[in-house]
Amino acid sequence: MGDINVDKLSGKQDNIKLECMLVSHNIRRLQLPATRVTLNTATSIDMICSNLNDEEIMTDVITTGLSDHKAQLCTVNFQTNTTPSPISTTRKYTQENLNHLKNILARESWDDVFKSNNVDEAYNFLNITLRLALNAACPQKMTRTKPKKKLTAISSEEMLNLKKDYLKALQDEILQGTKEAKARTAAKKKNYDLKLKQTKREATADYINKAANKQKALWRLIDYERCKPSNQTNQITLEVNNQVIQDPFLVAQYINEYFVSIAEKTLKEAGQSTKLNNAEPVTHNGVPDLILLPTTTLEVTNIISSIQSKPSSGVDEISSILLKHCKEELAPPLVSVINQSFLQGCFPKALKLAKVYPKLKKNPSTLIDNYRPISLISTISKVIEKIVLSRLMNHLTTHNLLIT
């Protein structure tokens, strides 16, 4: 398809040569009406070429007002094989299920957590109890992945009327060919363009304001404007030592090894040591050591409330939405685990695990260097992180250790 500037409606030599060249490749030029019409001429200088049968393809031209040519419209009837959506296992976090989970946790005594003398053991008891309650209230179910909803086209009755007025003025300009007709067309087009920009700007702002995750909504709009496909497959194929790896297990293993070793490799290439130096202890100059004071139920619930609500979760499947919904029931055992962690100077090992997703940053997708790790850590670890941060900042500001 395209502008070939050879008139199909004429019997000139260039048209005959083009037809013969196409036939030699088993291609024919389909018949189109005039695609460029002026006051005195009507030519079909745009073309659609195909080797399909007549029943497999339909053509037409439409007036768009985008240029002095009409647009070519081509419809091809393909036989597509529809494959069912992939099946995945997910939990249903409905309001009813979350309320059921809240009631189950409200009846829990948490004695195993409170009586434990080891922070890892205490957190494991908490995690096991929470997982059992989660399986009872929000069981895992097999579901088919639904395709993402497409962004709706921007339209309004006023905008459609302005478009009709512009196209009518364009036809009048073609038939009349006067300066007055051309000026009217330009004025109609300006009114339509301004209304289109305003409507698009308002729709974009409304879409972002209504979104729960504004950053994600903004990037979706950017990808939509870039015409970036959203239905990308999750299957990754890598090229390793001039061999193509497609097996999911081997791909995951290779990506994991790459992400684990890339930091050390980068430091070595920069000429930096990867081992800790046996440096002399730093003198405190009278500044006392940082003490992680015990937390309280009020502090934990306030921090949980301040976390942004997201459906994503770490290995423990505890999302921020779930944690916020059951914060009153989970705060007491969390306080016990956190205070034991501070007292023993040990962070629970289970909270050091994270889901890591390889994010493609640039093409080609077969090169491992083009992927970056995206880690989903436990929401509970974020709560502990915020509590430690508050104590650290208080220590630094109290002793004037921050450089401003």
Side-chain angles (χ1 to χ4, degrees):
M1 301 177 67
D3 177 10
I4 196 62
N5 206 25
V6 175
D7 188 8
K8 174 72 173 176
L9 304 179
S10 72
K12 293 183 180 181
Q13 192 66 24
D14 57 353
N15 186 32
I16 297 174
K17 288 182 179 180
L18 176 62
E19 296 283 357
C20 292
M21 186 271 292
L22 292 173
V23 169
S24 68
H25 294 280
N26 194 28
I27 300 174
R28 58 194 175 88
R29 184 179 182 183
L30 305 180
Q31 189 70 37
L32 289 178
T35 57
R36 187 173 187 273
V37 181
T38 65
L39 181 62
N40 300 316
T41 61
T43 56
S44 181
I45 59 176
D46 301 276
M47 71 174 189
I48 300 176
C49 299
S50 175
N51 60 354
L52 299 177
N53 298 325
D54 291 339
E55 62 272 13
E56 295 178 307
I57 188 168
M58 294 181 292
T59 62
D60 198 3
V61 295
I62 54 176
T63 303
T64 62
L66 298 175
S67 72
D68 57 351
H69 290 237
K70 292 184 178 180
Q72 305 101 62
L73 179 64
C74 178
T75 305
V76 180
N77 298 320
F78 286 115
Q79 294 295 329
T80 58
N81 295 324
T82 57
T83 56
S85 302
I87 298 177
S88 60
T89 304
T90 57
R91 296 186 186 274
K92 294 294 182 181
Y93 294 112
T94 63
Q95 193 66 30
E96 181 181 357
N97 288 352
L98 290 175
N99 290 335
H100 186 195
L101 176 64
K102 189 178 179 71
N103 292 332
I104 293 175
L105 295 176
R107 296 192 297 268
E108 181 60 45
S109 63
W110 305 107
D111 288 339
D112 291 334
V113 177
F114 297 143
K115 294 178 181 178
S116 177
N117 296 322
N118 181 276
V119 64
D120 286 319
E121 188 180 79
Y123 175 76
N124 289 336
F125 282 132
L126 169 63
N127 189 33
I128 292 171
T129 304
L130 186 53
R131 184 60 62 91
L132 291 174
L134 196 60
N135 290 335
C138 309
Q140 291 184 341
K141 292 186 178 181
M142 305 290 287
T143 58
R144 291 193 179 275
T145 304
K146 296 181 180 179
K148 293 182 179 180
K149 293 183 179 180
K150 295 182 178 179
L151 295 175
T152 56
I154 300 171
S155 181
S156 67
E157 186 176 354
E158 181 183 1
M159 195 165 62
L160 292 176
N161 290 332
L162 290 173
K163 181 180 178 181
K164 291 178 182 179
D165 292 342
Y166 161 57
L167 294 178
K168 184 177 181 302
L170 182 61
Q171 292 294 332
D172 293 340
E173 178 189 343
I174 294 173
L175 295 175
Q176 298 173 14
T178 61
K179 291 183 178 180
E180 291 79 6
K182 187 175 181 180
R184 283 196 299 271
T185 302
K188 296 288 185 182
K189 185 177 187 304
K190 183 177 181 181
N191 291 336
Y192 172 62
D193 288 344
L194 291 175
K195 184 61 181 177
L196 179 63
K197 291 179 181 179
Q198 179 188 353
T199 305
K200 187 175 182 179
R201 186 164 55 247
E202 292 173 353
T204 300
D206 184 63
Y207 175 77
I208 295 175
N209 290 332
K210 289 182 178 179
N213 190 335
K214 292 179 171 49
Q215 186 179 24
K216 185 176 181 180
L218 183 59
W219 276 110
R220 190 183 179 199
L221 287 169
I222 293 173
D223 289 339
Y224 177 77
E225 292 295 331
R226 293 166 56 198
C227 299
K228 183 179 179 181
S230 58
N231 55 343
Q232 296 177 343
T233 178
N234 292 326
Q235 183 64 43
I236 298 177
T237 301
L238 295 177
E239 185 177 343
V240 181
N241 298 327
N242 297 324
Q243 291 184 347
V244 177
I245 299 177
Q246 293 181 323
D247 182 76
F249 178 79
L250 295 178
V251 169
Q253 189 176 29
Y254 184 76
I255 291 177
N256 181 66
E257 293 174 356
Y258 173 78
F259 286 157
V260 168
S261 61
I262 187 61
E264 184 176 355
K265 180 181 177 182
T266 304
L267 288 173
K268 285 183 178 180
E269 291 177 353
Q272 300 182 23
S273 175
T274 59
K275 297 182 179 180
L276 294 175
N277 296 323
N278 295 323
E280 293 294 329
V282 179
T283 56
H284 292 73
N285 294 327
V287 178
D289 292 335
L290 169 64
I291 298 176
L292 295 178
L293 298 175
T295 185
T296 62
T297 303
L298 179 60
E299 183 181 22
V300 169
T301 53
N302 288 338
I303 287 178
I304 293 175
S305 300
S306 67
I307 296 177
Q308 186 178 359
S309 297
K310 291 183 178 181
S312 58
S313 63
V315 180
D316 56 6
E317 297 186 272
I318 309 301
S319 66
S320 58
I321 295 177
L322 187 152
L323 191 61
K324 293 175 76 170
H325 191 81
C326 305
K327 59 185 177 182
E328 291 84 3
E329 291 73 24
L330 290 174
L334 280 177
V335 169
S336 178
V337 170
I338 295 171
N339 287 339
Q340 283 195 57
S341 175
F342 290 173
L343 183 63
Q344 298 172 16
C346 179
F347 192 78
K349 293 180 180 179
L351 291 178
K352 297 179 182 180
L353 298 177
K355 290 181 182 177
V356 180
Y357 292 92
K359 177 70 173 178
L360 182 65
K361 288 298 184 179
K362 60 181 179 179
N363 286 319
S365 61
T366 55
L367 295 181
I368 186 64
D369 294 343
N370 294 336
Y371 288 89
R372 299 293 181 270
I374 303 297
S375 298
L376 293 180
I377 63 175
S378 170
T379 310
I380 294 176
S381 68
K382 296 178 183 179
V383 175
I384 302 177
E385 176 186 330
K386 287 180 176 293
I387 295 174
V388 173
L389 177 63
S390 67
R391 280 135 180 79
L392 176 61
M393 293 302 297
N394 182 60
H395 179 78
L396 294 176
T397 53
T398 301
H399 301 287
N400 297 320
L401 299 177
L402 288 177
I403 299 176
T404 58

